[in-house]
Amino acid sequence: MATGDGGAYSYSLTVFSPSGKLVQIEHALARVSQGTTSLGIKATNGVVIATEKKSSSLLMDTSMIEKVSMICPNIGIVYSGMGPDYRVLVTKARKSAQAYWKVYGEYPPTRVLVQDLATVMQQATQSGGVRPYGVSLLVAGYDSNRGATLYQVDPSGSYWAWKASAIGKNMINAKTFLEKRYNDDISLEDAIHTALLTLKEGFEGQMTEKTIELGIITVPTQEELESMTIENAGTARPKPTFRRLTEEEVRDYLAM
């Protein structure tokens, strides 16, 4: 008989508890809520994703820690939860993006890549001998169909498009702060400052360019879009719309 915390059903991924829950997914979400805070904000001319980047020891080389990753030139991703699980999903996402390029001659729209990631994560919830991925993802991207978009993907395989969202240990406070500060006319520059202020609300210790990481999607101008079309006709790879900010750029934003 199942108890309040899931009882025997806590050990089974593929069996629903009497209350209709897959308890292992709830455990995966609990692992996400123990991770460092990450957030994303969609602006009128781009998207920013940001996260805390903390090391467990002063002896660690923090320059080798990467929490914001480029999947392809138009899509970037950040996570909260288990780093090794994230690394596996990043590898799968990059392979999916390159496979799409090989077939269609262009990188995938953000929603297509998000669906692929969500499918991988969902399949891990109904297969024997595996466990759910212990991460939630924020995916920022740009494509000609939907423009700049921000998605959140959870361990269950569910995904949603957001104007602004937060994941990790300070998720509730961060979302409350974003609800007060966000507006539909926010620019990318203001979104970057809002992201830094949101992280600062629950940040433990000193916030520096070495303890946070940011990535941005920049919406191309009409001239840049036309040049991309010309480049694609010549089979050249398009100009990236996603990039990680350097430590120098982050330092400048913190000083403002």
Side-chain angles (χ1 to χ4, degrees):
M1 182 176 180
T3 59
D5 62 354
Y9 296 95
S10 295
Y11 300 99
S12 176
L13 175 60
T14 58
V15 179
F16 285 95
S17 71
S19 60
K21 298 178 180 178
L22 289 173
V23 185
Q24 281 292 315
I25 293 178
E26 295 188 356
H27 294 337
L29 288 169
R31 179 62 184 89
V32 171
S33 67
Q34 295 171 7
T36 53
T37 305
S38 301
L39 60 93
I41 304 173
K42 177 184 173 183
T44 56
N45 57 335
V47 183
V48 58
I49 51 178
T51 186
E52 299 177 12
K53 185 175 73 172
K54 294 183 177 180
S55 61
S56 57
S57 171
L58 293 174
L59 300 178
M60 289 183 65
D61 183 359
T62 57
S63 66
M64 301 301 292
I65 300 174
E66 181 182 282
K67 295 196 64 180
V68 174
S69 302
M70 176 186 283
I71 301 302
C72 54
N74 64 312
I75 298 175
I77 189 171
V78 69
Y79 79 101
S80 289
M82 296 182 65
D85 286 12
Y86 172 68
R87 184 178 68 245
V88 170
L89 289 171
V90 166
T91 300
K92 289 180 180 292
R94 286 172 175 165
K95 287 181 178 179
S96 176
Q98 292 302 317
Y100 192 96
W101 170 276
K102 187 175 181 180
V103 174
Y104 298 104
E106 62 182 14
Y107 287 110
T110 313
R111 185 185 177 95
V112 170
L113 188 81
V114 167
Q115 287 177 327
D116 286 348
L117 276 172
T119 298
V120 170
M121 296 175 77
Q122 191 278 334
Q123 286 173 345
T125 69
Q126 60 176 135
S127 303
V130 298
R131 60 163 175 78
Y133 288 93
V135 291
S136 283
L137 308 172
L138 291 174
V139 184
Y142 171 83
D143 59 76
S144 57
N145 296 322
R146 297 177 181 270
T149 49
L150 172 69
Y151 289 89
Q152 178 178 329
V153 190
D154 282 340
S156 64
S158 301
Y159 69 91
W160 306 269
W162 290 80
K163 296 179 179 178
S165 186
I167 54 179
K169 64 182 178 182
N170 198 41
M171 173 188 68
I172 296 176
N173 292 335
K175 281 188 175 181
T176 301
F177 187 84
L178 287 171
E179 287 172 356
K180 295 177 181 178
R181 302 276 304 203
Y182 183 84
N183 64 79
D184 290 334
D185 298 322
I186 192 170
S187 68
L188 182 58
E189 285 293 306
D190 289 340
I192 293 172
H193 291 297
T194 300
L196 292 175
L197 287 173
T198 306
L199 285 179
K200 193 173 183 180
E201 283 290 300
F203 199 86
E204 298 175 0
Q206 185 178 6
M207 198 162 74
T208 69
E209 69 276 6
K210 294 187 180 297
T211 57
I212 60 172
E213 197 170 345
L214 290 92
I216 58 171
I217 287 284
T218 306
V219 174
T221 63
Q222 187 59 39
E223 292 77 13
E224 288 173 333
L225 286 173
E226 291 173 358
S227 67
M228 285 181 187
T229 303
I230 295 173
E231 287 177 353
N232 283 339
T235 69
R237 301 244 166 172
K239 177 183 177 182
T241 54
F242 175 81
R243 68 183 182 91
R244 293 169 57 200
L245 297 189
T246 64
E247 289 188 357
E248 290 73 20
E249 288 176 306
V250 174
R251 187 189 307 122
D252 290 341
Y253 278 113
L254 288 171
M256 291 181 182

